[in-house]
Amino acid sequence: MAFLSTFFGRPRGGANPIPAQGTGIEDKDLRLSCHLLENALRFEERSDIDADELYMELKLFHTLQTDELNSPIDVLKRLKEFGYFPNATIAYRMLLTIPVTVASAERSFSKLKLLKSYLRSTMSQERLSGLAMIAIENGILEDINCEELINQFAMKNARRASRIIG
């Protein structure tokens, strides 16, 4: 899916996140990229997007006031607010979910290997999966208020609440 970088410019490098707006992409290249994306999302005779509709949606979206949009996530939020750019919304969701490099996937496997070697003998698969998820998504974990989470967990059961809280 190398064409995504052609299609969207350099999305995580500060370039304009809207194709055909300030990226220097010509209409024929934009149309070609739309068709490449349609083919990449095709299974048998069906595709998640229509290339011609995507092209028209991007051209129309380009004409709207989009100067304050600085990142692909801002563009996706705006597309969802409007609600009438279904192909462009799918394209931006793809852009934001497909990793630009394989470094994050490699880090995930590296962390899993460290966890497995350290706790191999005493751990069930379920616990290993949970710890791997914590290690990989540690940014999300840092934002969680553990005290509030413990209190919510304890309040689900009166006996548990008496042991944990009081």
Side-chain angles (χ1 to χ4, degrees):
M1 295 219 180
F3 62 86
L4 279 176
S5 62
T6 303
F7 182 70
F8 289 102
R10 290 174 359 122
R12 292 185 175 96
N16 196 318
I18 304 167
Q21 180 180 343
T23 60
I25 190 168
E26 296 181 22
D27 281 352
K28 65 179 178 142
D29 294 331
L30 179 61
R31 190 177 296 275
L32 175 65
S33 295
C34 290
H35 282 281
L36 289 172
L37 183 60
E38 178 184 32
N39 289 337
L41 299 177
R42 182 177 308 282
F43 179 73
E44 294 177 354
E45 294 300 316
R46 300 185 64 201
S47 180
D48 291 333
I49 64 166
D50 180 89
D52 295 323
E53 289 178 9
L54 175 61
Y55 173 78
M56 292 308 296
E57 288 175 13
L58 291 173
K59 296 297 280 183
L60 177 62
F61 190 68
H62 167 66
T63 63
L64 302 173
Q65 286 294 96
T66 55
D67 294 338
E68 71 279 357
L69 302 176
N70 297 320
S71 69
I73 199 99
D74 293 337
V75 174
L76 181 60
K77 287 177 184 176
R78 181 64 57 89
L79 287 169
K80 286 183 175 183
E81 285 173 15
F82 288 143
Y84 46 78
F85 295 107
N87 292 292
T89 301
I90 291 170
Y92 272 91
R93 282 186 9 224
M94 293 295 298
L95 167 73
L96 292 168
T97 55
I98 295 175
V100 175
T101 66
V102 295
S104 60
E106 289 174 0
R107 267 195 306 276
S108 300
F109 285 111
S110 175
K111 295 219 183 215
L112 182 62
K113 185 176 179 182
L114 287 171
L115 280 170
K116 252 185 164 173
S117 63
Y118 179 69
L119 298 167
R120 184 179 306 269
S121 62
T122 62
M123 190 177 313
S124 68
Q125 185 63 39
E126 184 177 347
R127 182 169 181 220
L128 175 65
S129 297
L131 287 174
M133 187 63 66
I134 289 171
I136 294 165
E137 301 293 344
N138 63 352
I140 295 171
L141 185 62
E142 290 172 359
D143 296 336
I144 294 176
N145 181 349
C146 292
E147 195 65 37
E148 182 180 328
L149 186 64
I150 291 170
N151 288 337
Q152 287 177 359
F153 176 74
M155 291 304 184
K156 299 278 183 185
N157 184 309
R159 281 185 318 213
R160 204 180 296 147
S162 66
R163 278 188 265 151
I164 295 175
I165 296 175

